[in-house]
Amino acid sequence: MSSPQGIEVPDALVASYTRNGGEEKRAWVARLPALVAELLDRWKLERNGDIRSGEASLVVPVRRTDDTRAALKLQMPREETTATLIGLRAWNGDGIVRLLDHDPESSAMLLERLDGSRTLASVEDDDVAMTTLAGLMTRLHSVPAPEGLRGLGDLARDMLASVPAALAALPDPEDRRRLHGWASAVTELVGEPGDRMLHWDLHYDNVLAAEREPWLVIDPEPLIGDPGFDLWPALVTGWERIHSTGNAPRVVRRRFDLLTEALGLDRRRAAGWTLARLLQNTLWDIEDGRTDIDPSQTIVAEALPRN
């Protein structure tokens, strides 16, 4: 999709918004070229590279009037987009991409430009990469959580409320046993959900090379809760690669040990909140029509310490 200004929206992004989206989503993606042109003019930005897209966002490399490079990011306004803006303001560039400006009406963000071609996944030594990620995660968790973000307690209670229907959708008794066990772990923890500001999706591909620091985090989905709930994406990052080693449980356990030590976490609580992530993932899968537990979830669960 393109406009007279030559602003092209990648076909994959158009498809993601129009294939299963309603009229509002179709209208938003149709307006994207005009919105980009409007923001380029308002913020006096010059396009400075190829337009890219993620699963739900458009990213336009730009140059500002002071000749600094930046990235214009557009995503349909929703609760998660608002949370991202709240989090980026609170973190203020400490270990994470810096927010330079934003448009309240469209939720568009002008961000510090990072090197999108080099992620933390490019580091060959997994211990080095995971230790780097742990250091960034520690910094993010150390910033006091601002008001306006969703809390893990409410999220966990919503998950637990969905468990009975999910159990009924699983025909395998072993799968039902696993799901029930994960729900029991969450039940033990839900009364103490934590008060740290979490990223919620911190893995190797969400850490990019930068000029201001060697590595900076991108794409937060901020949530207030226990740091243990933030570990799962890091444990499974690059899953195909670690699964091909033939000993994925060993890699997961090693990563868990590195993360919990670096963050100073109670291992039992961290394992419990990681089971909460497995529960959440499985509930989402069942909502999408799946009738069994993804084998990767089982592998992670079995790799976690039990005491």
Side-chain angles (χ1 to χ4, degrees):
M1 177 186 297
S2 62
S3 72
Q5 297 93 337
I7 297 165
E8 298 184 357
V9 180
D11 291 341
L13 185 63
V14 174
S16 72
Y17 273 91
T18 57
R19 184 170 49 246
N20 299 313
E23 183 58 35
E24 185 181 9
K25 289 184 177 181
R26 290 193 291 270
W28 183 81
V29 78
R31 185 175 178 267
L32 262 181
L35 180 57
V36 171
E38 176 187 327
L39 291 169
L40 290 176
D41 181 64
R42 185 194 310 172
W43 286 335
K44 296 180 172 53
L45 304 172
E46 177 185 342
R47 285 182 53 187
N48 182 238
D50 295 332
I51 292 176
R52 307 190 310 275
S53 66
E55 184 176 337
S57 61
L58 185 76
V59 179
V60 184
V62 296
R63 191 179 297 276
R64 306 174 81 189
T65 54
D66 62 1
D67 212 35
T68 58
R69 299 185 309 155
L72 178 61
K73 181 177 180 180
L74 299 98
Q75 187 167 338
M76 188 172 178
R78 54 195 179 109
E79 182 182 358
E80 292 84 354
T81 313
T82 300
T84 297
L85 285 165
I86 292 171
L88 288 176
R89 289 193 201 100
W91 279 311
N92 194 29
D94 187 359
I96 196 166
V97 64
R98 180 167 285 145
L99 178 68
L100 305 175
D101 208 340
H102 81 283
D103 175 43
E105 182 178 352
S106 67
S107 294
M109 291 175 269
L110 187 65
L111 301 167
E112 170 183 18
R113 177 97 68 93
L114 308 183
D115 184 354
S117 68
R118 189 157 65 96
T119 74
L120 196 55
S122 65
V123 176
E124 289 295 326
D125 189 316
D126 195 62
D127 279 5
V128 171
M130 191 55 55
T131 299
T132 299
L133 186 147
L136 292 166
M137 187 180 289
T138 299
R139 292 167 65 183
L140 298 184
H141 292 172
S142 68
V143 175
E147 295 182 359
L149 297 177
R150 190 176 186 186
L152 178 54
D154 290 340
L155 188 71
R157 282 185 284 272
D158 288 346
M159 285 193 283
L160 292 173
S162 301
V163 167
L167 287 170
L170 295 174
D172 186 342
E174 190 62 20
D175 278 348
R176 292 199 296 270
R177 182 193 65 78
R178 288 192 184 96
L179 196 73
H180 186 273
W182 299 348
S184 295
V186 176
T187 300
E188 290 183 11
L189 295 169
V190 69
E192 298 181 40
D195 61 358
R196 299 286 86 196
M197 184 161 55
L198 312 181
H199 182 285
W200 205 354
D201 194 27
L202 186 49
H203 51 76
Y204 288 167
D205 289 334
N206 274 344
V207 181
L208 302 185
E211 295 180 1
R212 179 164 56 88
E213 295 190 31
W215 302 100
L216 289 171
V217 172
I218 63 168
D219 289 350
E221 300 177 18
L223 174 77
I224 298 175
D226 189 291
F229 194 70
D230 236 3
L231 302 187
W232 175 78
L235 297 179
V236 299
T237 186
W239 183 255
E240 291 184 5
R241 178 178 171 184
I242 66 173
H243 193 262
S244 68
T245 66
N247 198 352
R250 182 192 63 80
V251 178
V252 171
R253 183 61 175 266
R254 174 64 177 168
R255 289 175 169 182
F256 181 86
D257 290 344
L258 286 171
L259 288 168
T260 53
E261 181 177 356
L263 274 66
L265 302 183
D266 177 279
R267 289 167 58 81
R268 184 175 178 276
R269 286 183 60 83
W273 281 119
T274 300
L275 293 178
R277 292 299 291 263
L278 304 185
L279 176 64
Q280 182 181 58
N281 295 338
T282 302
L283 291 173
W284 284 339
D285 285 345
I286 291 171
E287 286 179 9
D288 290 340
R290 186 161 184 152
T291 57
D292 65 343
I293 293 178
D294 189 301
S296 68
Q297 310 294 323
T298 301
I299 290 172
V300 172
E302 293 177 349
L304 297 174
R306 302 187 184 280
N307 51 49

